[in-house]
Amino acid sequence: STDKDIIYICPFSGAVKGKVFITNYRVFFRSIEVDPAVYLDVPLGVISRIEKMGGASSRGENSYGLDITCKDMRNLRFALKQEGHSRRDIFEILFRYAFPLSHGLPLFSYLSQEKFEENGWNVYSPIQEYRRQGLPNTTWRITFLNKVYELCDTYPTILVVPFKATDEDLRKVAAFRSRNRIPVLSWIHPENQAVIMRCSQPLVGMSGKRNKDDERYLDTIREANGQTSKLTIFDARPNVNAVANKATGGGYEGEDAYQNAELVFLDIHNIHVMRESLKKLKDIVYPNVEESHWLSSLESTHWLEHIKLVLSGAIQVADKISSGNSVVVHCSDGWDRTAQLTSLSMLMLDSYFRTLSGFEVLVQKEWISFGHKFASRIGHGDKNHADADRSPIFLQFIDCVWQMTKQFPTAFEFNEQFLITILDHLYSCRFGTFLYSCDCARDDNEVKTKTISLWSLINSDKMKYVNPFYTMESSRVLYPVASMRHLELWVTYYIRWNPRIRQQQQNPVEQRYRELLALRDQYLKKLEELQLSDSARIANNSTNSPASPTQIAHHVQTPF
C-alpha cells in the first residue's frame, strides 16, 4: 500500500490535488482542499495499460506523471513533482499489482477473504438445468464422455447429444470439427421439441474434405424432432470470411455434402472488428462527448450496427425454433459469436432466463462452461494490453440484453444495475466467475474452492438488482426490433464517467415506483399485525363467553 501526494488531472474539473492509496485490489484517490471532495475508486483489474507521461526535463505544468488506460471506458491521468524520481515507486507498485499474472503473483480473487450469505457456485447445475428442459428423453441423452475433458478440453464435462449417436460416433465427429467442438444441445423447445445445437466449423479445408460421420450426425439431429425437413445451419460469419477460413483448414457445410441442411450466413464480424469498433466508440465518448457531429460520429464507430447484426441473428434462430425447425449454430471455433447467438435466442424463447437466477444460469452455461475465452478476451492480470485476442464479445452480449430490456421493460426480473455490476466484475478480478477460458482450466486452478462467485454478492442482496416493473409471463417469445431506429447507445454505461450523465442516472419513475412498493410492504405488514392481534382478541373472548356475531370477524384480504 502506498500513500502519496499527487495531482489527478480530472477531464471534467481540471487538476485536483489529493492523496492516492494503492492496495492489492484498488487504487483510491481522495482530493484535499476541494469542496465537494473528488474521489476515485478503481479496481486494479480494470487497468489495461500504465504509461509514464513526460520525463525529468519536461516543461509545462503537470506534464510529468502517469497515464492509465482502463477497460471500462475511462482513462486516468496523474501528475507528480519532477524531483527525485517521485513516480518510480508508484509506477512499480501499480504495474506489479494491476498485472499480477505477468509477475508470477495470484489474481486478487485468490486472496479475498470476503464472506457472503449465499454461495453463488451453487447457482448452476448442468443436470438440474437439462432436467428443467425435460432432458434426457427418448431422443436425447446425457453423455459423460467428456468427464475428464478427453473429447474436447474447452467443453464442459456433461453434454446432451442425440440418443441414437454412440460415444464412438461422437469421437469420429470430433475429429472433423475445429478444436473437437462437436454439435451439442443448448436448448430444446418444450412443445415442438426443436433444438438449438452449438459447435465449431467443420474442417473442410481447401480440398473440400467430407466426413460421413459428421454428415450422418447432423442428419440424426434433424430427424430427432420429427418435423424438421431441412436442418438450418446458422454460420455467424460473413460468407467471405467463412470461405477464407478454408485456407487455414476450416470452412463450412457445403450443400453437396449436407443435402438435408440449409446454410445461412449471418454476417457478424470477427473479434478484431469488434475491438476496433469499441475503441472508436471510446474516442467519441471519453473524456468529452463529441457534440457537434454526434450522430455521424456514432455511426462511424459501427458499434450499433454490430449490435443490430448480433440481435438479428438471434431473432432468426428463435424464429426457426418457434416454427418447429431445429438449428445448428457455429462461427469459427464456437466460443464467441456462437455464444452470443445461442444465449440471446434462449433469452428470447425461454422466460426462465429472463429471471435473475435464470440469467445467472444462462451466463454460467452458455458462456462460462462452454468455453468463451474470458482470459484472452479480457486479459485478467496480464500486461499485454495490445494482445490481438482482446475483444469485447461478452460486453456486446450484455449490451444486446440491455437493448431487449429497453424494448420490453416488464419482461425481465433484473434491472440495469445488475447488468452493470456483471460488467464491472468482468474486469475487477474480485470474483472467480469470469477467470480462465474453460472449465478444464478452472478445475486445474481450483476456482470453485479458492475463489468466491459473483453470484454470491448478487444473490445476498437481490432487491438491489430487481426490476420493480417485472411481470412474470411463462410462454411469451420476445422478438426485439433489430433496426437502427430502435437501437440506442447505452449512455448510462458507456458515458457514465461524465458527471453530467451521472446526475441524470436515477430514473425518477423507477425511484417513485420503488417508494410505492416499500409503502405497500409497510401497509401489508401493518395489516398482518392487526389481523394477528384481532385473532388473539377473538380467541380470548371465545374462551370466556359464547361468541357474538360481531366478534366473529372475517379477515380482510386487501388486494394490492
Side-chain angles (χ1 to χ4, degrees):
S1 162
T2 180
D3 156 11
K4 210 174 183 68
D5 288 331
I6 202 164
I7 292 168
Y8 165 49
I9 316 291
C10 175
F12 310 108
S13 46
V16 183
K17 237 185 183 164
K19 281 195 176 299
V20 73
F21 304 86
I22 301 167
T23 71
N24 59 354
Y25 175 66
R26 57 164 54 93
V27 55
F28 183 82
F29 171 86
R30 188 183 63 218
S31 64
I32 43 180
E33 305 162 15
V34 180
D35 190 35
V38 174
Y39 292 99
L40 270 184
D41 186 353
V42 184
L44 298 179
V46 159
I47 296 173
S48 119
R49 180 182 193 177
I50 307 167
E51 290 176 291
K52 290 174 178 172
M53 172 180 82
S57 57
S58 289
R59 297 257 172 260
E61 202 183 3
N62 301 330
S63 59
Y64 174 85
L66 297 174
D67 222 337
I68 297 170
T69 308
C70 297
K71 299 171 184 177
D72 62 355
M73 306 298 286
R74 60 179 159 169
N75 297 337
L76 310 171
R77 182 172 270 200
F78 293 106
L80 292 104
K81 293 189 183 76
Q82 270 156 301
E83 67 265 9
H85 301 293
S86 63
R87 71 177 168 196
R88 185 188 288 159
D89 56 344
I90 188 171
F91 175 81
E92 283 171 3
I93 289 169
L94 266 179
F95 201 76
R96 185 175 171 80
Y97 290 103
F99 311 122
L101 293 189
S102 300
H103 294 91
L105 297 171
L107 289 160
F108 178 77
S109 54
Y110 284 91
L111 307 170
S112 171
Q113 301 294 308
E114 283 184 280
K115 296 274 184 286
F116 292 99
E117 287 168 32
E118 297 289 326
N119 180 358
W121 294 123
N122 298 333
V123 157
Y124 174 57
S125 147
I127 296 285
Q128 265 175 355
E129 169 52 22
Y130 288 127
R131 213 168 265 160
R132 184 192 70 83
Q133 294 187 28
L135 299 164
N137 60 23
T138 52
T139 43
W140 297 95
R141 69 185 182 93
I142 288 174
T143 176
F144 298 95
L145 178 62
N146 202 39
K147 69 172 181 290
V148 290
Y149 306 105
E150 65 182 53
L151 179 76
C152 172
D153 61 1
T154 58
Y155 262 5
T157 53
I158 295 167
L159 303 169
V160 175
V161 295
F163 191 82
K164 285 184 181 174
T166 67
D167 284 357
E168 195 42 49
D169 293 334
L170 302 180
R171 286 193 185 92
K172 287 173 182 167
V173 173
F176 191 63
R177 289 276 162 181
S178 176
R179 318 263 180 180
N180 294 1
R181 291 172 69 93
I182 64 168
V184 292
L185 183 145
S186 277
W187 191 78
I188 185 166
H189 194 287
E191 283 138 30
N192 64 37
Q193 300 290 292
V195 294
I196 299 174
M197 306 291 288
R198 62 178 295 167
C199 59
S200 61
Q201 65 184 341
L203 300 177
V204 174
M206 289 302 278
S207 59
K209 282 202 227 46
R210 286 183 62 168
N211 181 302
K212 285 282 179 239
D213 298 292
D214 192 77
E215 291 162 27
R216 199 179 305 117
Y217 184 67
L218 259 59
D219 218 39
T220 309
I221 292 165
R222 181 187 64 80
E223 289 166 352
N225 85 324
Q227 60 186 85
T228 304
S229 57
K230 260 194 184 301
L231 180 69
T232 307
I233 300 168
F234 285 108
D235 188 326
R237 303 167 292 186
N239 189 336
V240 59
N241 295 32
V243 172
N245 268 312
K246 283 185 166 188
T248 52
Y252 53 90
E253 294 82 356
E255 283 176 11
D256 298 345
Y258 299 84
Q259 291 181 353
N260 292 324
E262 61 164 342
L263 186 63
V264 178
F265 291 103
L266 295 173
D267 294 326
I268 302 166
H269 288 279
N270 64 24
I271 61 166
H272 313 296
V273 173
M274 302 311 181
R275 180 179 61 245
E276 291 313 308
S277 177
L278 185 69
K279 208 186 239 165
K280 285 179 186 166
L281 179 62
K282 184 175 177 177
D283 288 344
I284 69 159
V285 300
Y286 191 90
N288 298 310
V289 177
E290 172 68 74
E291 292 287 358
S292 53
H293 305 287
W294 169 248
L295 289 175
S296 52
S297 298
L298 179 59
E299 188 183 19
S300 69
T301 68
H302 300 293
W303 183 253
L304 288 179
E305 204 178 303
H306 298 313
I307 294 289
K308 182 193 95 164
L309 284 165
V310 173
L311 270 174
S312 143
I315 290 165
Q316 290 176 63
V317 172
D319 192 43
K320 278 284 179 202
I321 294 292
S322 287
S323 60
N325 290 295
S326 291
V327 306
V328 171
V329 181
H330 70 70
C331 42
S332 301
D333 290 314
W335 50 44
D336 290 311
R337 291 165 278 197
T338 300
Q340 290 177 328
L341 292 166
T342 57
S343 51
L344 286 168
S345 55
M346 287 157 73
L347 197 62
M348 292 170 195
L349 289 160
D350 190 338
S351 61
Y352 167 68
F353 295 125
R354 306 197 281 265
T355 65
L356 204 123
S357 53
F359 191 80
E360 293 171 354
V361 166
L362 185 67
V363 170
Q364 281 292 151
K365 179 178 181 297
E366 290 301 299
W367 287 87
I368 296 166
S369 83
F370 271 100
H372 173 64
K373 294 174 71 176
F374 284 104
S376 341
R377 299 291 176 259
I378 309 301
H380 298 120
D382 181 1
K383 66 179 184 187
N384 300 313
H385 60 87
D387 191 311
D389 266 350
R390 304 279 179 270
S391 191
I393 302 302
F394 186 75
L395 162 62
Q396 207 169 41
F397 157 68
I398 296 289
D399 192 330
C400 289
V401 175
W402 179 81
Q403 302 286 345
M404 286 177 67
T405 66
K406 290 299 281 182
Q407 292 191 26
F408 301 100
T410 63
F412 294 84
E413 189 188 13
F414 48 84
N415 60 18
E416 181 181 61
Q417 187 55 43
F418 175 69
L419 298 176
I420 291 176
T421 302
I422 289 173
L423 289 176
D424 284 345
H425 294 299
L426 171 66
Y427 310 118
S428 76
C429 295
R430 179 175 157 191
F431 302 101
T433 305
F434 298 115
L435 302 186
Y436 305 104
S437 293
C438 55
D439 279 354
C440 180
R442 284 179 204 104
D443 287 357
D444 289 348
N445 290 282
E446 302 173 86
V447 167
K448 281 191 178 181
T449 52
K450 292 190 171 174
T451 75
I452 297 159
S453 163
L454 166 59
W455 316 128
S456 302
L457 167 87
I458 286 172
N459 296 345
S460 298
D461 188 12
K462 272 189 171 169
M463 285 319 292
K464 197 171 164 183
Y465 306 101
V466 166
N467 167 20
F469 304 118
Y470 173 60
T471 311
M472 201 174 148
E473 289 175 300
S474 58
S475 57
R476 183 177 168 211
V477 179
L478 301 186
Y479 289 118
V481 180
S483 84
M484 296 302 280
R485 279 184 311 131
H486 288 82
L487 299 177
E488 49 184 294
L489 183 71
W490 186 3
V491 169
T492 43
Y493 178 73
Y494 296 113
I495 318 186
R496 64 182 165 148
W497 307 119
N498 189 311
R500 268 180 34 215
I501 299 297
R502 206 176 295 170
Q503 283 153 19
Q504 303 161 8
Q505 266 184 342
Q506 185 63 58
N507 176 342
V509 178
E510 187 173 322
Q511 184 61 31
R512 182 70 185 125
Y513 194 68
R514 281 186 186 283
E515 287 165 10
L516 290 170
L517 286 176
L519 205 58
R520 181 196 70 171
D521 291 341
Q522 277 176 28
Y523 283 135
L524 283 171
K525 200 172 174 193
K526 190 84 178 138
L527 184 66
E528 211 175 297
E529 286 165 6
L530 287 169
Q531 286 175 343
L532 284 170
S533 64
D534 204 19
S535 308
R537 196 164 48 78
I538 291 164
N540 280 341
N541 288 350
S542 62
T543 52
N544 300 332
S545 62
S548 70
T550 53
Q551 287 167 340
I552 301 168
H554 290 292
H555 285 187
V556 183
Q557 288 298 323
T558 312
F560 277 95

